[in-house]
Amino acid sequence: MESCLICSTEISPFIDFGKMPLGNGFLLPEQYEQEYFFSMRVGFCPVCGMVQLLEQPDRERMFHDNYAFFSGTSRYMAVHFREFAEGVMERYLAEPDPFVVEMGSNDGIMLQNFAAAGMRHLGVEPSGNVAQVAREKGINTVTEFFGADLARRIVAENGQADAFLAANVMCHIPYLHTIVEGIDLLLKPSGVVIFEDPYLGDVVEKTSYDQIYDEHTFLFCTASVSYLFARYGFEVIDVEPQVTHGGSMRYVLCRKGMRPVSPAVPRQLEKERAMGLHLPETYDRFRKKCEESRDRLISLLRELKAQGKRVVGYGATSKSTTITNYCGITPDLVEFVSDTTPIKQGKFSPGAHIPVRPYEEFVSSYPDYALLFAWNHAREIMEKEEAFRASGGKWIVYVPEVGVLE
Ligand code: SAH
Ligand code: TMP
Ligand code: ZN
């Protein structure tokens, strides 16, 4: 038995994905011997409702000066964050000379909009290489992990903040109590917390189990987020579903009673109960669907190999690490993975050791099938890859079901 990271209740795993490497741990053959693995088991806490990893690698192993994920690799995400920033400026920053802090600001994809508006801002980004890209764009960034200590220092230097923002990072952090303590210290009494992460409801509905990997310690829902923040006197005042990253939820919170609660909040809580997100049985069903999905995908790939077809992966996403390792996808089934990120190219995928090659190699010799690892960017990719399809190329997808797009 392990204990819940949020409320300390004893919990046990509902699924065991086995030994997993780091989702962003792209490596060279000479590093195979030292490759790091952890036991990826996931539990559900019936008391606070949190779905969580029961073991996480140390944070310094994941976030460092060679971090492989640059937010700016997706054009659509840049538009998404511009709209996110505009919404925050319009709705929540009424006081004069506002100050905005973002945790996990990466290459500055969100904060660049506040900087362009001449607004006081600070990014907190421990991965040195991506933080440097933001600084070069003129975005104020500290290379540190956010927590209560840093919050005190930020307040001493800048005063309290009007808004605390975070995208695709809150769910990465096992030590969430110090984060919320930090937010409590950092924010003005009327300040708002706005963050978004992949949504548990979408993962359960679409069997998108690849949202579970080392960096995703938690899969949040409205109920579990409310539980955690209520301990610090905060309440959820709005929820807004997002299509990004395969289905995310944006949560808006503030100190209890400071702002009106949108009717969307009780509505979402009701939906979550109707989906059974509060029931252990839901996660048993989810496990069975993961096993079925895995079996179908590997059979499909084996069948295509037997037919002599060429299959190439599209997008060396961190999420695909769970797919390749859990399903047992080897380089003889998937020739290489095409990716536009220079730091990943020439390396091999974590655990499965499939070569990662520049996008140009995909274009110069189209395979028969492309396995869409970056399914969360499907819209952008399908638009871009009309020529692949026109040349007879087919897409293999696995969310929400394993299949071939003819
Ligand atoms: N917000 C960006 C980046 C998400 S990736 C986007 O949505 O595209 C998560 C980022 O959070 C990484 O750049 C990682 O270095 C950073 N991070 C991880 N733990 C953190 C912490 N405790 N404080 C601040 N940033 C953190
Ligand atoms: P993400 O799912 O974590 O955002 O990662 C997406 C990965 O896919 C990233 O490594 C960049 C890559 N990618 C491509 O290679 N081509 C594309 O068109 C897109 C959108 C992403
Ligand atoms: Zn709990």
Side-chain angles (χ1 to χ4, degrees):
M1 286 291 244
E2 270 110 334
S3 54
C4 169
L5 289 161
I6 302 302
C7 76
S8 303
T9 301
E10 290 208 331
I11 55 176
S12 47
F14 63 81
I15 188 165
D16 184 347
F17 287 100
K19 272 174 47 174
M20 277 286 160
L22 304 181
N24 270 313
F26 298 90
L27 75 179
L28 293 168
E30 54 267 34
Q31 297 169 308
Y32 290 170
E33 248 179 55
Q34 292 100 50
E35 190 167 15
Y36 173 87
F37 290 88
F38 72 107
S39 141
M40 197 165 91
R41 290 164 298 125
V42 190
F44 162 71
C45 175
V47 175
C48 69
M50 202 63 93
V51 171
Q52 55 196 281
L53 294 184
L54 298 180
E55 183 183 326
Q56 301 79 31
D58 292 340
R59 63 188 189 179
E60 287 79 7
R61 262 188 201 282
M62 300 186 277
F63 310 116
H64 43 60
D65 292 347
N66 284 308
Y67 187 57
F69 177 72
F70 288 73
S71 304
T73 46
S74 161
R75 221 162 26 88
Y76 271 52
M77 289 311 289
V79 174
H80 172 77
F81 285 121
R82 192 187 66 223
E83 289 169 358
F84 186 145
E86 284 168 358
V88 173
M89 290 188 236
E90 271 167 37
R91 293 169 64 182
Y92 300 109
L93 299 178
E95 289 190 27
D97 191 26
F99 175 44
V100 175
V101 174
E102 188 192 358
M103 170 171 79
S105 47
N106 200 277
D107 56 13
I109 194 164
M110 166 120 74
L111 281 183
Q112 61 195 8
N113 301 289
F114 294 93
M119 216 169 257
R120 288 197 299 137
H121 63 274
L122 182 66
V124 180
E125 177 46 69
S127 296
N129 57 337
V130 294
Q132 186 54 27
V133 174
R135 267 188 227 103
E136 283 162 12
K137 290 197 266 186
I139 297 155
N140 305 326
T141 309
V142 287
T143 306
E144 280 193 56
F145 287 94
F146 184 76
D149 288 343
L150 180 61
R152 277 188 203 94
R153 278 182 280 135
I154 295 174
V155 173
E157 277 179 34
N158 306 272
Q160 282 184 310
D162 296 80
F164 180 90
L165 311 178
N168 307 304
V169 56
M170 198 71 91
C171 75
H172 289 40
I173 304 183
Y175 46 97
L176 272 186
H177 286 289
T178 168
I179 300 297
V180 188
E181 271 168 42
I183 293 173
D184 194 19
L185 290 164
L186 183 65
L187 276 190
K188 285 182 185 169
S190 61
V192 286
V193 186
I194 309 175
F195 70 93
E196 62 186 34
D197 285 291
Y199 180 57
L200 174 63
D202 284 289
V203 173
V204 168
E205 228 167 32
K206 301 175 190 164
T207 321
S208 45
Y209 64 88
D210 56 344
Q211 292 289 9
I212 303 168
Y213 59 96
D214 59 324
E215 293 182 22
H216 288 181
T217 307
F218 297 106
L219 286 172
F220 294 138
C221 62
T222 316
S224 58
V225 165
S226 300
Y227 180 100
L228 166 65
F229 277 84
R231 285 196 164 190
Y232 298 84
F234 285 80
E235 66 181 345
V236 179
I237 58 165
D238 206 359
V239 284
E240 296 169 45
Q242 308 291 321
V243 296
T244 47
H245 290 306
S248 295
M249 187 64 78
R250 184 177 300 164
Y251 307 92
V252 183
L253 301 101
C254 69
R255 291 193 174 80
K256 200 166 168 44
M258 292 301 288
R259 291 170 191 256
V261 177
S262 157
V265 178
R267 225 186 292 135
Q268 197 63 35
L269 285 167
E270 190 43 51
K271 260 194 197 163
E272 291 177 359
R273 290 190 80 80
M275 284 181 73
L277 296 186
H278 61 305
L279 302 171
E281 304 88 90
T282 302
Y283 302 99
D284 283 332
R285 271 201 305 275
F286 174 71
R287 183 192 56 246
K288 289 191 190 99
K289 290 180 92 177
C290 292
E291 289 163 358
E292 281 167 23
S293 173
R294 172 194 64 191
D295 296 348
R296 284 198 191 128
L297 182 59
I298 198 73
S299 315
L300 172 61
L301 293 173
R302 287 193 183 129
E303 205 176 293
L304 293 174
K305 183 183 158 67
Q307 293 169 12
K309 303 291 187 197
R310 278 184 70 216
V311 180
V312 163
Y314 195 102
T317 55
S318 33
K319 288 191 286 301
S320 65
T321 297
T322 300
I323 301 290
T324 52
N325 286 276
Y326 178 60
C327 301
I329 300 175
T330 41
D332 63 317
L333 296 175
V334 172
E335 193 178 306
F336 66 89
V337 186
S338 158
D339 198 284
T340 53
T341 318
I343 195 174
K344 297 182 186 178
Q345 297 163 355
K347 294 195 176 141
F348 293 80
S349 75
H353 303 162
I354 303 169
V356 181
R357 303 254 174 79
Y359 172 60
E360 291 68 29
E361 291 196 30
F362 173 78
V363 179
S364 65
S365 163
Y366 283 143
D368 301 304
Y369 291 81
L371 173 54
L372 187 56
F373 285 134
W375 61 270
N376 51 317
H377 300 291
R379 195 161 61 118
E380 177 170 355
I381 292 168
M382 296 294 161
E383 267 177 38
K384 204 163 84 180
E385 301 302 347
E386 261 306 309
F388 167 61
R389 211 146 163 190
S391 78
K394 297 190 176 85
W395 290 101
I396 301 173
V397 294
Y398 46 81
V399 174
E401 301 273 342
V402 173
V404 173
L405 304 183
E406 297 285 346

